[in-house]
Amino acid sequence: MATAELSVRCSADREKPQLSMQPSPDVNPSHVLEKHFAEYTTSQQVEILRIKLDFLRKCVPLKRPPPSLRVKGASAIPDQHKLFRFSCLETDLLSSAISYKIKEIDLLTDQIKSKKLPSLPLPWKDRVNLRKHFETKISFYQKQDNTKWETWPPKPARLLDDQKLSKAETRKRRNFKKKWAQKKRKTEKDAERALKSGSVVILVNETVPTGAIALLGKGLGFVPTPKLNI
């Protein structure tokens, strides 16, 4: 949608729309997890964030997002004139929250790989409780679509299609990064093996790329096979 549709203009004689300060289901509820988010290992934090990301994506088809992303105010304006604008803004905020959550996951995943941190799964009880917590939220929001939010405009089909594409792109990017990391680790091991075995000896004081060392270690008879796009 156009930028003008997503913004809510305010003037001095109008009440300014504000984000709702109600408790967010995206916040770590003390009664759901056994301990605070920061006390979990990095790999466990990634699993928690992925469950939260799945919850945010399930909110996309709903008429309104979680409380922390809802807009309120402008009571001087009739509902029929403000609900569409509020809906556009809330949709934009939800999209931003999803993007931010993906960046959080990518950042922590990179830390696990670069620092070679242990990969520990989230405790079974925490995983079950967290999923159940968000499933209950989604069920409650779906009921409100037909009751409390009945007058709110439904989400357009194009938006839902865009969300499916976004999810597919995220999965594609994650698979690419995983394959790239595996290839990098293999190259580093091949280079280390070549140097230890003496098949490659560096006689210069300059830094030789790991890929070059790994390639030389394969021997003079090695001929790379080109990959053809068929």
Side-chain angles (χ1 to χ4, degrees):
M1 298 183 180
T3 304
E5 291 181 325
L6 295 175
S7 62
V8 181
R9 298 184 176 277
C10 303
S11 58
D13 58 342
R14 250 180 222 179
E15 182 181 349
K16 185 178 180 181
Q18 300 174 348
L19 291 180
S20 172
M21 299 305 292
Q22 301 177 42
S24 167
D26 194 40
V27 175
N28 176 20
S30 58
H31 65 283
V32 176
L33 296 177
E34 290 294 318
K35 49 188 177 181
H36 192 273
F37 180 80
E39 298 179 37
Y40 289 91
T41 66
T42 306
S43 61
Q44 292 171 337
Q45 290 178 356
V46 169
E47 191 170 351
I48 292 172
L49 291 176
R50 282 177 176 164
I51 294 175
K52 292 180 178 181
L53 174 62
D54 182 61
F55 163 71
L56 290 175
R57 282 174 165 159
K58 288 180 179 178
C59 288
V60 172
L62 303 175
K63 291 183 178 180
R64 302 200 70 185
S68 62
L69 299 173
R70 294 176 194 168
V71 178
K72 64 178 182 179
S75 57
I77 306 174
D79 284 351
Q80 62 268 28
H81 295 301
K82 70 181 181 183
L83 291 188
F84 174 76
R85 291 176 174 82
F86 278 18
S87 178
C88 290
L89 182 54
E90 289 181 347
T91 299
D92 190 50
L93 291 172
L94 177 58
S95 178
S96 297
I98 290 173
S99 298
Y100 180 73
K101 196 65 65 183
I102 292 173
K103 290 180 181 178
E104 279 188 292
I105 293 172
D106 288 345
L107 180 62
L108 292 180
T109 302
D110 289 342
Q111 288 181 10
I112 293 173
K113 294 177 180 178
S114 62
K115 297 180 180 179
K116 297 181 179 179
L117 300 176
S119 181
L120 300 176
L122 187 67
W124 179 84
K125 184 177 180 181
D126 282 332
R127 186 185 307 111
V128 171
N129 287 345
L130 193 60
R131 289 190 180 280
K132 184 178 180 181
H133 169 74
F134 288 128
E135 287 172 359
T136 302
K137 292 287 184 183
I138 291 295
S139 178
F140 176 69
Y141 296 161
Q142 288 173 338
K143 291 179 181 178
Q144 287 192 309
D145 268 7
N146 299 320
T147 54
K148 185 177 180 180
W149 304 335
E150 185 177 8
T151 57
W152 282 71
K155 298 294 178 65
R158 180 184 60 80
L159 178 67
L160 305 183
D161 292 338
D162 289 345
Q163 176 61 24
K164 291 179 182 178
L165 290 174
S166 175
K167 189 173 183 179
E169 286 295 325
T170 301
R171 183 169 57 250
K172 183 178 179 181
R173 183 173 67 253
R174 185 167 61 246
N175 291 339
F176 173 80
K177 293 181 69 175
K178 182 178 180 181
K179 290 180 180 178
W180 182 85
Q182 291 174 343
K183 184 177 180 180
K184 183 181 179 182
R185 286 196 297 269
K186 183 179 183 304
T187 300
E188 291 173 348
K189 289 182 179 179
D190 290 345
E192 184 180 2
R193 191 183 303 113
L195 292 174
K196 285 184 177 180
S197 66
S199 60
V200 176
V201 179
I202 299 176
L203 302 176
V204 295
N205 293 325
E206 299 179 1
T207 301
V208 180
T210 305
I213 298 174
L215 181 61
L216 291 171
K218 296 181 183 295
L220 298 176
F222 173 74
V223 179
T225 303
K227 293 183 179 180
L228 301 177
N229 295 323
I230 300 177

